[in-house]
Amino acid sequence: MKLGFFTMPIHPLNKDWRTSLREDREAFLLADKLGFTEGYVGEHSTDRAENITSCMVFIASLIHNTKTIKLGTGTINMPNQHPAAVAANIAMLDHMLDGRFIFGISPGGLLSDAEAFGVLDADRGAMFLEAINTVLAIWKGEPPYNIEGKYWNIKIEKQFLPEIGQGFLPKPLQRPHPPIVVTAVAPFSKGVTEAAARGWEPISANFLMPEWVKSHWPRYVEGCERVGRPADPANWRVAKSIFVADDDKTAEAYVSDPGSPYRYYYSQLYTKLKRGRLELFKTRRDQPDSEVTLDGICKDLIIYGSPEKVADEILRFRERVGDFGTLLYAGKDWRDVTLAKRSMTLLAEKVMPKVNAAIKPVARAS
């Protein structure tokens, strides 16, 4: 099992923006130093808590200070941006990273972003598909361009001047394009099936109950079988909220404290998801809303403790949901910088060796 990093950071509203951005950046630098294989960062334009407004800009700030970690957009909210801009900027980013790039995409889930960009009442799923198809068409094609769609038209004809290099939309370094991943946030996600059929890879979100994480694998198999390619668990990434300390007492105190960044993270999501998507926090589909509580969410979704306890819980989680290739450590606010860094260090240096020593190389049937 590989170890990666995924952050859609949720910071206290009164925290200095410069401090939160600096700490978010330091988390990626530490992940690279510790040998994390990949790291993803989310983006939102209209959220004071989730305050990274451009994952591309943020990744650009890491290029020359990281060495081996692959960096990914987690995710580009495709309906909110023009496909030509996305195609050009991602192509440049892939070159700047010398191919250490993974292209994470989604329709975008924050409704205030959708409202700000004028797509709140639009079919954002359809916009998402047209946007990524347009980006891939740009990278596959050559000028002059005339790509017509329902939401965007990409045309460079009158101003195509090949003799001076004008009118060319850039292509990424990785051909035909960087690896594409999609974040699965729904139980039994049909998006996972469609992604698999297109050769894309899924990330199961860290705010999904294990029952719903488990439901993603059959959907991935379904998509792979549709196009006749093997369903490899190595291509499945699962994000998880984890906190590791030198002893169980320290870990429990940090996670369970009323001011804990872990409780704050889920309290924010709980408030947002109560407005129509509370099912993600349920353990069964017929569970009444009244049974869903913040205490229950934290109990079911946070793994914490000493390296030994955390390793055992990760292995039990894997037995419950099935084999997967990469565990993505979900970033949280660094309320205590020392403990936050220690958690990442212990996970990489103590927990993952124990986990991998316990995993037997048994092939999983599809």
Side-chain angles (χ1 to χ4, degrees):
M1 183 187 295
K2 296 179 181 179
L3 177 61
F5 184 66
F6 190 110
T7 190
M8 40 176 286
I10 296 181
H11 298 290
L13 301 184
N14 61 352
K15 188 167 186 173
D16 188 287
W17 195 10
R18 295 166 297 178
T19 301
S20 65
L21 290 172
R22 182 173 62 249
E23 290 176 353
D24 290 336
R25 188 171 177 275
E26 287 179 9
F28 278 86
L29 301 182
L30 179 59
D32 180 56
K33 180 180 178 181
L34 292 170
F36 284 56
T37 58
E38 54 193 42
Y40 302 86
V41 59
E43 66 177 20
H44 287 304
S45 298
T46 62
D47 197 307
R48 290 176 59 199
E50 294 185 59
N51 54 22
I52 292 177
T53 60
S54 168
C55 47
M56 286 190 283
V57 170
F58 186 87
I59 288 172
S61 79
L62 298 168
I63 292 171
H64 299 298
N65 296 104
T66 54
K67 296 179 179 178
T68 60
I69 191 171
K70 294 181 180 179
L71 298 172
T73 52
T75 56
I76 298 289
N77 299 320
M78 300 295 285
N80 300 346
Q81 303 191 43
H82 196 287
V86 172
N89 291 332
I90 291 296
M92 184 176 74
L93 197 56
D94 192 36
H95 279 267
M96 293 175 72
L97 278 162
D98 199 24
R100 280 193 294 125
F101 178 71
I102 301 172
F103 188 20
I105 57 175
S106 77
L110 188 66
L111 295 184
S112 56
D113 278 2
E115 186 174 13
F117 289 107
V119 296
L120 180 61
D121 298 320
D123 185 341
R124 293 189 299 280
M127 294 184 73
F128 163 75
L129 288 174
E130 182 177 312
I132 184 58
N133 287 339
T134 301
V135 168
L136 295 177
I138 288 170
W139 288 342
K140 184 178 180 180
E142 297 291 343
Y145 305 98
N146 188 0
I147 305 171
E148 295 186 351
K150 179 178 179 181
Y151 302 101
W152 297 279
N153 295 315
I154 314 297
K155 181 179 289 189
I156 303 178
E157 294 177 336
K158 296 178 181 178
Q159 298 301 321
F160 176 47
L161 303 174
E163 65 276 12
I164 60 170
Q166 179 175 306
F168 290 83
L169 285 164
K171 299 180 186 298
L173 178 64
Q174 299 177 83
R175 298 295 181 90
H177 54 73
I180 295 177
V181 299
V182 294
T183 302
V185 298
F188 303 96
S189 171
K190 294 180 180 178
V192 170
T193 301
E194 299 306 315
R198 299 188 65 158
W200 306 343
E201 299 174 358
I203 296 174
S204 295
N206 67 294
F207 47 84
L208 282 173
M209 288 295 175
E211 291 81 1
W212 310 139
V213 173
K214 182 178 181 178
S215 75
H216 291 165
W217 176 253
R219 294 295 193 183
Y220 181 71
V221 172
E222 180 183 340
C224 289
E225 289 179 342
R226 185 194 299 174
V227 295
R229 68 186 184 96
D232 188 351
N235 296 331
W236 185 19
R237 298 161 173 87
V238 176
K240 196 67 181 168
S241 293
I242 299 171
F243 179 72
V244 195
D246 289 289
D247 58 81
D248 292 339
K249 184 178 179 181
T250 300
E252 182 174 9
Y254 190 67
V255 168
S256 62
D257 185 87
S260 164
Y262 286 77
R263 285 187 65 86
Y264 178 67
Y265 179 92
Y266 283 109
S267 69
Q268 280 269 335
L269 290 179
Y270 180 41
T271 301
K272 292 175 180 177
L273 295 177
K274 278 194 295 187
R275 303 180 67 176
R277 303 191 70 184
L278 195 58
E279 180 186 33
L280 304 187
F281 287 145
K282 295 183 178 182
T283 56
R284 64 183 192 279
R285 285 191 148 173
D286 62 350
Q287 184 178 12
D289 291 357
S290 59
E291 290 185 5
V292 180
T293 65
L294 179 60
D295 286 339
I297 291 167
C298 292
K299 177 178 179 294
D300 288 337
L301 292 182
I302 304 171
I303 291 176
Y304 64 88
S306 64
E308 294 76 15
K309 179 176 181 288
V310 169
D312 288 342
E313 291 197 21
I314 290 173
L315 289 168
R316 283 196 293 270
F317 173 74
R318 179 177 176 270
E319 289 176 1
R320 189 172 177 182
V321 304
D323 188 17
F324 55 91
T326 302
L327 174 68
L328 297 177
Y329 180 87
K332 303 292 186 289
D333 180 72
W334 281 9
R335 190 190 74 168
D336 186 311
V337 174
T338 300
L339 287 179
K341 290 182 177 181
R342 184 64 174 160
S343 177
M344 293 178 65
T345 301
L346 289 171
L347 181 64
E349 296 181 350
K350 301 292 185 181
V351 175
M352 293 308 294
K354 292 178 183 294
V355 169
N356 282 316
I359 294 175
K360 296 179 180 180
V362 178
R364 174 177 182 165
S366 61

